[in-house]
Amino acid sequence: MAQASIIVRDVRASYPDRAVFDGVTFTASPGTRLGLIGENGSGKSTLLRVLAGIKAHESGHVSAPDEVIYVDQEPSFDPERTVDEVFAGALAPLHRAVAEVERLGELLAQPGSDPRLNPARYDAIATQYADAMEWAIDHHAWDAERRARITAHSLGVAQLSGYTAVKTLSGGQKSRLALAAALTRLPQLLLLDEPTNHLDDAARATLLNYLREYPGVLIVASHDRSFLGRACTSLYDLDAGYRGVDGEGGGLFGGTFTEYRTAQQASKDRWAREYRDQQDEIARLRGQANQEPGSIAHNRGPRDNDRFIYSFKGENVDRTLSRRVRSAQQRLAVIERDPVPRPPEPLRFEANLTARPATETDADTKTDTHTETAPQPEPAVEVTDLAVRGRLRLRELSLDPGEKLLVTGPNASGKSTLLAVLAGEIAPDRGRVRVRGRIGLLGQDTRFEDPHSTVRDTFERATQHDVQALAHMGLLRERDLERPAAQLSIGQQKRVQLAILVARQPDILLLDEPTNHLSLTLVDELEDALRTAPGTVIIATHDLWLRERWPFRTLRLG
């Protein structure tokens, strides 16, 4: 493969209502696996679109390879295309490369291509043949069909009928299909936005193995802590700010994810300390710069016998003071021309995720799947012989009020279906389901009744609470409250949905892949809140980092 690096220098990008990032600079050579990290809304997805040539940047320079494939968080396809047509499109360049090698090989074998008879023609065809052969070999073109089958199977899309229209697929199926098609191509530059959001353990292992052997440049935006630690050779922090994570400027960090977390905290502490020390110095210099002549060493009046000496010394003091004032003013001017910026105030998630366990009984509804409250110690959740045809089978489940449960399992094992049944969104085909208390479900999809309404209006309409309740949770910054929900990043939209759910204070909280799309800091804080939530919590997740540290009950489906 005619490998090429990507070069990014001082790139700035913005939208009409705000700047997204400025001064992004890095170089990534073949074999580099660069992870983009940062708070929700810091510009990770925007940067990927700039590198893919989809969004223009206002200033700076981007030099990228010719072969670029970008897989969005929510991939878009021609809705009328079928699964087979998507794979055919991915394989087409590889098939053409094999056909071109064969065509040029046949030309070289023709009598008229004898180098002794027509050396110029022979040299031209031989050069084309060598270039085509190199490209085909580097892209493993002869192995493309087998690679496509293996990738499709490992990512969980092989079971889809080839005639299935893309428009009928779920969001997770579309993401896995787009990822499988991209991995089949072996481009020079691969751009992935949150690629592990819909992957189970087997699919994640396939992706990791592929990326570790991938010969091109990989740039991936992710909040998946386990994936970042295992897949990336370096990281770029779009929140690095004043000095960067390494203290030298810029957000590039050439170490492991674990090392980055340590360096990130040290960088934040260093920035805060430098800002505090400089503010103290500015206050001191301003005090000196504002001193008036005659204000030093004139604490007493002169005695009759030393008026001349007092006057002489006082003039010297005034001259010394004047020099000090000028020096303080000059040093203050230097500092104020290029001050240490104020460190951004970090968002801190501070809220109880649930209400306390219910103690009063509401009337039962007349269906098997209903909501009621009951006095302790009756279970908050009871499931017996549950079946949803083709999606879920569960013989028994019982959770006490305040109990925590993590549900895991491969794709299509029924995790999301179980949460939807408990929330009353899906009726079971068989079995008994009883929940006691108010239920809140945070699903995987981000949907708003009116995506063009502002965050303020969306929150207040959904919760009947003043938006200050949202501000106090530490999920969004003040400047984002007047923005339409549709203009937020997917992670910020997820934060709004979480805020609405928390404001309603459910007794039973159902979370479907809650760590998808959320920033690293918020995920850590959310996990702490899950452990201390007074109500019942059921979380369905593939998140390996969370699963390895989960201290409560676990249910594996499938």
Side-chain angles (χ1 to χ4, degrees), residues 12-76:
R12 170 188 170 86
S14 64
Y15 291 102
D17 61 331
R18 73 197 189 285
V20 185
F21 52 75
D22 193 5
V24 173
T25 297
F26 62 84
T27 298
S29 56
T32 297
R33 301 189 297 273
L34 178 64
L36 302 179
I37 51 182
E39 272 292 333
N40 298 126
S42 62
K44 298 181 297 298
S45 298
T46 300
L47 179 56
L48 288 180
R49 287 194 286 270
V50 168
L51 302 182
I54 297 171
K55 174 175 171 54
H57 53 286
E58 283 73 50
S59 61
H61 170 75
V62 176
S63 176
D66 294 332
E67 299 173 29
V68 180
I69 290 183
Y70 166 57
V71 181
D72 198 353
Q73 291 186 49
E74 297 179 344
S76 59

Side-chain angles (χ1 to χ4, degrees), residues 42 74 100 110 153 161 188 209 221 251 260 273 336 383 396 408 411-412 423 434 470 503 515 557:
S42 62
E74 297 179 344
E100 182 67 0
Q110 291 177 1
H153 177 77
S161 168
Q188 292 174 303
N209 290 336
Y260 158 78
R273 185 171 57 253
E336 292 180 337
V383 174
E396 186 178 20
T408 187
N411 287 330
R434 179 172 297 226
L470 170 57
T515 60
L557 299 177

Side-chain angles (χ1 to χ4, degrees), residues 8 19 37 40 96 134 137 161 167 197 217 254 277 290 308 334 453 458 461 467 482 485 519 531 551:
V8 181
I37 51 182
N40 298 126
R96 286 196 297 268
E134 180 185 15
I137 291 174
S161 168
K167 64 183 178 182
N197 275 356
V217 178
D277 290 347
N290 292 330
F308 174 78
V334 170
S453 290
T458 299
R461 184 168 55 246
V467 75
E482 303 305 328
S519 71
R531 293 185 180 94

Side-chain angles (χ1 to χ4, degrees), residues 389-544:
R389 190 174 296 110
R391 299 170 68 175
L392 173 65
R393 288 184 180 276
L394 182 61
R395 190 174 71 176
E396 186 178 20
L397 174 65
S398 178
L399 292 176
D400 291 332
E403 195 170 0
K404 314 294 187 292
L405 177 71
L406 185 147
V407 182
T408 187
N411 287 330
S413 61
K415 301 184 297 299
S416 297
T417 300
L418 174 60
L419 298 192
V421 168
L422 295 178
E425 295 185 354
I426 294 178
D429 295 310
R430 188 184 72 238
R432 178 178 176 81
V433 177
R434 179 172 297 226
V435 292
R436 297 178 173 90
R438 292 169 294 115
I439 294 178
L441 171 64
L442 181 68
Q444 292 190 45
D445 297 331
T446 54
R447 294 195 187 97
F448 296 101
E449 182 178 336
D450 181 5
H452 301 293
S453 290
T454 65
V455 171
R456 177 188 299 276
D457 292 341
T458 299
F459 179 82
E460 292 181 346
R461 184 168 55 246
T463 66
Q464 305 304 308
H465 289 290
D466 186 86
V467 75
Q468 288 306 311
L470 170 57
H472 293 156
M473 291 180 198
L475 288 169
L476 283 175
R477 298 195 182 278
E478 185 92 16
R479 62 175 180 263
D480 294 317
L481 299 181
E482 303 305 328
R483 293 176 58 197
Q487 291 184 9
L488 301 177
S489 71
I490 294 177
Q492 289 171 312
Q493 292 179 17
K494 199 81 167 180
R495 287 170 179 256
V496 175
Q497 290 185 319
L498 178 61
I500 291 172
L501 192 63
V502 171
R504 291 171 174 169
Q505 285 289 280
D507 302 301
I508 302 170
L509 182 62
L510 310 176
L511 303 174
D512 195 355
E513 298 291 358
T515 60
N516 285 357
H517 308 297
L518 296 182
S519 71
L520 300 173
T521 300
L522 178 56
V523 165
D524 288 341
E525 294 170 349
L526 178 60
E527 288 179 12
D528 291 339
L530 286 171
R531 293 185 180 94
T532 59
T536 306
V537 176
I538 303 178
I539 174 172
T541 185
H542 289 307
D543 188 327
L544 184 59

Side-chain angles (χ1 to χ4, degrees), residues 176-205:
R176 295 195 296 275
L177 175 62
L179 193 57
L183 300 187
T184 298
R185 280 286 301 275
L186 284 176
Q188 292 174 303
L189 175 60
L190 181 59
L191 307 172
L192 304 179
D193 199 352
E194 299 288 358
T196 62
N197 275 356
H198 300 285
L199 301 186
D200 59 19
D201 289 351
R204 183 191 302 265

